[in-house]
Amino acid sequence: LLCSFVFSLLCKNVTGSVSKTMLQYFLEGIYLAKNRRVVMPSWTEHEEIKELQQSYSRNKVRTTKYTFISFIPKNLFEQLHRFANVYFVFLGALNFVPIVNAFQPEISIIPIVFVMSITAVKDLWEDQRRKKSDQQVNNRLCDIYDR
């Protein structure tokens, strides 16, 4: 609120029109300020500042891990970081080699496929709960204090 008031004082001269030199200085400061926070008023009527405001991301909470497309690759990647899963996948693959197999290869992969499927369903359920919680947070009403 204070920053928007100071901005309005800096950018308006005595007649009330926007001073181009001060506005250009302000815009150059925005372009140079990559590592610091710059606060701009949302009610400004200048085109360049409106374009800058539209380029910022929205204030939306998203804590979900997966999307519809990325669920299977990301979930397999996470599950194969566990040593036990890698070990049992290796044993199942090794059972497909005719010299080394102990019993039918198809039977050897059933336990690891079952365990990884149950884990994937659990991860999907948890992610859906996160998505539901995010929607509740994003749809809350809030008070905006201006001037």
Side-chain angles (χ1 to χ4, degrees):
L1 185 63
L2 181 62
C3 292
S4 63
F5 177 71
V6 170
F7 173 77
S8 64
L9 288 178
L10 286 175
C11 293
K12 289 188 178 181
N13 58 19
V14 179
T15 61
S17 63
V18 176
S19 169
K20 290 185 180 180
T21 57
M22 289 303 289
L23 186 57
Q24 287 173 351
Y25 175 74
F26 180 72
L27 290 174
E28 288 172 4
I30 290 173
Y31 287 121
L32 296 176
K34 292 183 180 179
N35 293 330
R36 63 179 187 215
R37 183 172 177 239
V38 177
V39 178
M40 297 179 296
S42 61
W43 45 265
T44 184
E45 296 176 6
H46 196 270
E47 293 296 323
E48 291 182 44
I49 294 178
K50 283 187 178 183
E51 289 175 15
L52 280 173
Q53 287 174 342
Q54 290 175 355
S55 68
Y56 292 136
S57 61
R58 302 182 75 197
N59 190 19
K60 183 178 178 182
V61 176
R62 182 175 172 261
T63 58
T64 56
K65 285 189 202 177
Y66 309 110
T67 62
F68 180 73
I69 297 171
S70 72
F71 174 73
I72 291 175
K74 279 186 179 180
N75 192 270
L76 283 175
F77 181 75
E78 286 181 12
Q79 287 193 40
L80 291 176
H81 270 80
R82 297 185 185 121
F83 180 73
N85 289 348
V86 173
Y87 175 73
F88 285 109
V89 166
F90 175 72
L91 284 181
L94 194 59
N95 220 8
F96 278 93
V97 177
I99 299 173
V100 198
N101 67 350
F103 43 87
Q104 291 179 343
E106 297 82 17
I107 294 176
S108 67
I109 62 170
I110 290 175
I112 189 63
V113 168
F114 178 73
V115 168
M116 290 178 76
S117 299
I118 296 296
T119 306
V121 168
K122 177 193 67 94
D123 289 342
L124 183 64
W125 183 66
E126 287 177 353
D127 202 55
Q128 289 300 317
R129 284 184 37 210
R130 277 191 221 104
K131 185 177 180 181
K132 194 176 191 180
S133 174
D134 292 345
Q135 286 176 346
Q136 288 176 349
V137 169
N138 289 330
N139 291 331
R140 282 186 189 157
L141 294 176
C142 62
D143 296 327
I144 298 174
Y145 297 102
D146 189 22
R147 296 186 204 190

